[in-house]
Amino acid sequence: MNYIFLTGLIGSLVLVTGAAWPESKDVKHPIKSAKNWLFAIGGFIMWLYAFLGYQAGGPVFFVLLETLVVIASVLMMLHISDKINTGIITVIGSAFIIWSLYLFEGYNTVFFIIGLTGIGLGYAFEMGTLRREVALTLGSILIAIFSYIEASWVFFWLNVFFAIFSGYYLYKVLVRKHK
């Protein structure tokens, strides 16, 4: 097991733990949420993993994804309104999408582009909301598909588990809204 894989494994475990961690209704500021800290720390470790992987000849797309996740984590922790977050993530995500299209390596890149946008928005949206859980679930599914096509197994399994846990919390939000 090399240090790059170990970095990805640790980052994945932190992120999956964050995805599984229940959101507390008592937390009024994102910086006080264990779930958000796990997202932020795991996102940074995964950025490091993606960067190290890119340096070793892997695809740059995962560096773009994790850069957006790190930026979205900072916005999330600063508790900036969803309207401002959406604008910032849209501008940065659009720049990454344009760059991704420039680097276009096939139609599987579309899964990456849409997933990237979904994950970025999901991180930045307010905790416990329908829009956050939908964005995280769909973004994770699309990134898992892209990761499968690219045979990037750390990102594949990370996003499979992330999608499962995000889907579970999406289900809980939907049940809560229909009561």
Side-chain angles (χ1 to χ4, degrees):
M1 184 178 324
N2 68 30
Y3 71 97
I4 296 174
F5 178 79
L6 188 59
T7 302
L9 183 62
I10 292 168
S12 293
L13 290 173
V14 172
L15 276 174
V16 168
T17 302
W21 202 274
E23 288 193 18
S24 173
K25 294 175 179 80
D26 300 333
V27 175
K28 301 299 181 206
H29 196 285
I31 206 160
K32 295 180 180 178
S33 165
K35 181 179 192 85
N36 288 343
W37 275 107
L38 290 166
F39 279 171
I41 293 166
F44 177 75
I45 295 170
M46 290 307 294
W47 177 87
L48 186 60
Y49 167 71
F51 182 75
L52 292 171
Y54 173 67
Q55 293 294 312
V60 71
F61 294 109
F62 294 115
V63 177
L64 297 178
L65 167 67
E66 293 307 323
T67 299
L68 188 63
V69 165
V70 168
I71 292 167
S73 293
V74 169
L75 295 172
M76 168 183 65
M77 295 304 242
L78 293 175
H79 198 49
I80 297 172
S81 76
D82 280 357
K83 186 175 182 178
I84 294 171
N85 281 342
T86 302
I88 292 170
I89 296 298
T90 300
V91 168
I92 295 168
S94 296
F96 286 166
I97 287 169
I98 291 166
W99 191 6
S100 297
L101 289 171
Y102 174 74
L103 299 173
F104 197 76
E105 295 179 1
Y107 290 102
N108 58 337
T109 307
V110 174
F111 291 117
F112 169 77
I113 291 168
I114 297 170
L116 169 77
T117 304
I119 296 227
L121 289 172
Y123 261 71
F125 286 150
E126 186 177 332
M127 299 180 303
T129 61
L130 179 64
R131 65 168 46 180
R132 180 181 195 177
E133 301 309 333
V134 167
L136 288 173
T137 302
L138 293 178
S140 294
I141 290 169
L142 292 170
I143 294 295
I145 292 168
F146 177 78
S147 300
Y148 179 81
I149 293 167
E150 291 289 318
S152 179
W153 302 117
V154 169
F155 275 107
F156 172 74
W157 288 110
L158 164 63
N159 283 285
V160 164
F161 285 113
F162 206 88
I164 289 168
F165 288 119
S166 296
Y168 169 74
Y169 287 110
L170 171 60
Y171 172 77
K172 286 184 75 168
V173 168
L174 289 171
V175 167
R176 190 175 58 228
K177 285 194 177 282
H178 286 87
K179 284 188 175 184

